[in-house]
Amino acid sequence: LLDAGLFRHDLFRLGIASQTLQNVALGGAMIALPIYLQMVHEYNALETGLTLAPLSLTMFATALAVGKRAGRWRPAVVIRAGFGLVTAGMLLLLPLVPRADSGWPLVLPLMIAGAGFGLLVSQLNNYTLSPISDERVSEAAGVNSAAGSFGLSFGLAFAGAIMLATLAFTFTNKAEASNVLPAAEQQQVAHALEDDAQVLSNTQLEQQLEGRPPEIQAEILRINDEARPEALQVALLIPVLAGLL
C-alpha cells in the first residue's frame, strides 16, 4: 500500500479512496438495515433477504446496463453520479426508519442506493487501474482489492459500534428521564448497557423482563421502541458520510 511507484498516479489514489468509501457505505448499510428489519420488525433471515433484494438486484442490473455503455460517459462523471445516488438513497431511509411498519416503504430508497452502487461497481475498477502500466496492473489490482475489503470491514465495524454506542447513550438518557422507572431500575439499565449493549426485539426484551412489574415492563419496552430507531438512524449516517466524502 505504501509503494510510491503506484501511488504517484493521482487517478490511482483517487480510485483507491473511492473504492474504500464505496465499501464503507455498503458495509454500513449492510449492518444497519438487517438489524433494523430483524430487531424492529422481527423479520427472519429469509424475509430480511427479500426486503433487501431491491438493493442488490438494482445494483446488478445497473452495473450490467452501464457496463455495456461505458464508452458514452466519462468514468469520473458516472462515479460522482453513483455516490450521489447512494447518498440520496440513504438519506431517504433516515426518516423512514422510525415510521415504516414493514419493509415495503424501503423499496424505493433501496433501489436508488442500489443504482448508485451499480454505477460505482461498473466504473471504479477500470478508473483505478487505467493509469497503471501493464507490468504492474496485477499488483495494483491486489492493492485495489485490499482497499475494498478494508472499506467493507471498516464500514461494518464502525457503523455497528456507532449504533451500539448510540443505543446505550439514548436508552440510558431516556431511562433516567422516566417518571415510571425507580432510581434502582434506572441504575440497573445503565449498568447493563455499559457492560453489554444490544439491539433487542421486543420479544427478546419481554423474555428478559419476565417477573418485573407490568408498568416497568411497559416503560422499558416503550424506551426500547424509541431508542432503537434513533440508533439505527445514526448508523445510517455512516454510508451517507462515505457517499458525501
Side-chain angles (χ1 to χ4, degrees):
L1 285 175
L2 298 176
D3 189 327
L6 288 176
F7 276 83
R8 72 168 180 263
H9 299 287
D10 289 341
L11 287 183
F12 184 72
R13 291 199 301 270
L14 285 171
I16 289 295
S18 298
Q19 186 78 259
T20 303
L21 288 169
Q22 176 214 346
N23 283 282
V24 168
L26 184 60
M30 287 299 99
I31 190 69
L33 292 172
I35 288 178
Y36 166 71
L37 294 167
Q38 292 179 345
M39 297 304 163
V40 176
H41 294 302
E42 303 196 26
Y43 282 10
N44 59 33
L46 177 60
E47 291 169 328
T48 300
L50 290 174
T51 303
L52 296 178
L55 188 148
S56 55
L57 292 175
T58 307
M59 177 178 172
F60 175 77
T62 304
L64 193 63
V66 174
K68 292 180 178 179
R69 299 170 176 80
R72 297 187 181 183
W73 306 286
R74 289 179 56 233
V77 173
V78 178
I79 291 168
R80 289 193 189 100
F83 276 117
L85 287 174
V86 168
T87 304
M90 293 298 135
L91 282 172
L92 287 173
L93 286 173
L94 290 176
L96 293 176
V97 166
R99 297 177 176 85
D101 56 2
S102 71
W104 286 107
L106 310 182
V107 171
L108 181 58
L110 288 175
M111 290 181 68
I112 293 172
F117 283 120
L119 291 178
L120 294 171
V121 167
S122 72
Q123 299 295 317
L124 269 178
N125 284 336
N126 289 337
Y127 179 86
T128 304
L129 301 178
S130 61
I132 306 301
S133 63
D134 291 342
E135 295 79 14
R136 305 204 65 183
V137 71
S138 60
E139 181 184 352
V143 174
N144 187 41
S145 178
S149 297
F150 168 76
L152 186 63
S153 300
F154 182 83
L156 288 165
F158 190 56
I162 291 292
M163 179 172 57
L164 291 178
T166 305
L167 177 68
F169 177 79
T170 304
F171 207 113
T172 300
N173 280 352
K174 290 181 180 295
E176 291 176 350
S178 172
N179 295 322
V180 177
L181 298 180
E185 291 284 351
Q186 293 175 6
Q187 295 208 348
Q188 187 175 357
V189 166
H191 181 70
L193 289 172
E194 183 180 353
D195 292 340
D196 185 23
Q198 298 181 50
V199 182
L200 297 177
S201 68
N202 281 348
T203 301
Q204 293 170 328
L205 192 55
E206 285 172 355
Q207 292 173 353
Q208 293 192 10
L209 293 172
E210 284 183 359
R212 300 286 182 89
E215 64 275 10
I216 299 295
Q217 293 187 33
E219 181 67 2
I220 292 179
L221 288 171
R222 179 192 68 80
I223 293 172
N224 192 47
D225 284 338
E226 294 178 1
R228 287 176 310 182
E230 293 180 20
L232 293 167
Q233 283 177 311
V234 173
L236 284 172
L237 290 176
I238 303 304
V240 170
L241 291 174
L244 290 172
L245 285 172

